[in-house]
Amino acid sequence: MNNFYRGLALILIQVIPLALGYTLKKRGVARESWGRPLSRFVIWFFNTSVCFLAAWVLPMKLSMFKLPAVAVVFAVAITFIAVLMSRIHPKHSPPDRGAYIVGSVISNYGFTLGGFICFIFLGETALSMQTVYIFPLVAFIYLVWFPIARYYGTAGDAVSPLKSFLMAFRDITTLPLAGTLAGLSLNFLSLKWPAFARPSFLEHVNAVLVWTGTAASTFTIGVTLQVDSVLKYRLENATVAVTKFLTAPLLGYALAKAFGADRSQLQVVVILSIVPVGLFTSFASSIFGLNRNLANSLFVVNTAVFLALILPLLVWLLPHIG
């Protein structure tokens, strides 16, 4: 498969389910109220399953630990950058600010886009590196960024940031962390007892989960999409684009260089630092009561800009990164 067909497959898996969800909603077959339960289902089933199966075969190499170290520093830095950038929009209500901050920090670096790019353009080794890199980011989603969403949201009683963080440990949205830990446990056991190694057929199961999970995720966005509001948030989309496509990749590249990453690791970090607003931005808005129209606008516009402009530039740039 050449780069054209790889890019086409990537675009279609993003666009077709989203368009289907929106069309079914407009025809009265699907309802916007499905957004919250569908978001939670995608998280506890698809994301938990993929995290579990990927962690089970994670390569246990010492050099791999550079990647999660980079990810931790990156996640802390990008959180502070997002909070600072949110001050450009002083008229935002708490649900607006929460959606903006979450959209700025959560990128589509999982199997739905970032991992897909690593796999189709750089191969399975890069996909393994992506799995290593995003483990700390997955933890940040459930233990830091979702609590931020809960703090600014309207879905429940007002809570302090500390209480919001503690609540994350008993919320169903943190199940992917449990799946990751379970997969890692079996991985460690398999090093001593081969009987615990992941059966080969599960590789195909995981591939199916990645494709169907991506489709289910974008379908959920389509069900909650308000097309009239997509172009309403022009300034928010412009400032988030600066964060996603300029600040974040420069930050990721600098950190990877500082930690002594090799060429392949550097390429993976750049890919995962420049991907657009993540699906979980809309999920968090549906679950915690943030401004869902703003979240969906950030996701749709940022993804469209990425696919049309940034992805071709990235594919051209990748061989020169080193």
Side-chain angles (χ1 to χ4, degrees), residues 126-155:
L127 181 63
S128 297
M129 292 181 185
Q130 177 261 354
T131 303
V132 176
Y133 181 82
I134 70 169
F135 276 157
L137 300 179
V138 171
F140 264 80
I141 286 176
Y142 299 114
L143 301 180
V144 178
W145 297 331
F146 270 19
I148 288 174
R150 183 184 287 110
Y151 173 68
Y152 284 108
T154 60

Side-chain angles (χ1 to χ4, degrees), residues 159-181:
V159 295
S160 68
L162 176 60
K163 185 177 180 181
S164 182
F165 170 77
L166 295 174
M167 288 171 67
F169 289 94
R170 54 185 177 84
D171 193 282
I172 194 173
T173 56
T174 59
L175 271 178
L177 284 182
T180 300
L181 292 174

